[in-house]
Amino acid sequence: MSWKTHGFDFIPHGGGDPATTHRCPGEAVTVVLIMEAVRLLTRSMVYRVPDQDMTVSLARMPARPKSGFRIDNVRRKPG
């Protein structure tokens, strides 16, 4: 009852600078995995993005495209 907020005090894994404050211990690994996934999708593969409903409702959590995001005809980039 006596708790008072000071910015990032009540964020479970912190919200400050990763070098000086508490952050999620898996954050660095997650960032590297996302970077590798983006690299694979943009440089090492070719695929087709079919027509889909990309409408995003901000009233829903998580906010995401209505159709999700689909790709097909995925294959390794030649060369």
Side-chain angles (χ1 to χ4, degrees):
M1 294 178 73
S2 65
W3 179 77
K4 292 186 169 106
T5 183
H6 296 321
F8 296 115
D9 291 355
F10 201 59
I11 298 174
H13 286 293
D17 179 3
T20 60
T21 58
H22 177 69
R23 297 291 287 251
C24 174
E27 181 177 358
V29 172
T30 301
V31 170
V32 170
L33 288 171
I34 291 170
M35 290 171 59
E36 180 63 11
V38 170
R39 186 193 67 76
L40 284 170
L41 287 170
T42 59
R43 296 185 185 163
S44 300
M45 303 176 129
V46 291
Y47 49 87
R48 187 180 82 84
V49 179
D51 290 337
Q52 51 200 297
D53 185 350
M54 297 300 286
T55 304
V56 175
S57 170
L58 299 180
R60 184 176 184 274
M61 289 303 288
R64 60 182 182 179
K66 188 170 186 172
S67 296
F69 181 73
R70 296 173 294 156
I71 61 176
D72 62 22
N73 198 20
V74 179
R75 58 203 181 282
R76 200 175 266 271
K77 190 178 268 186

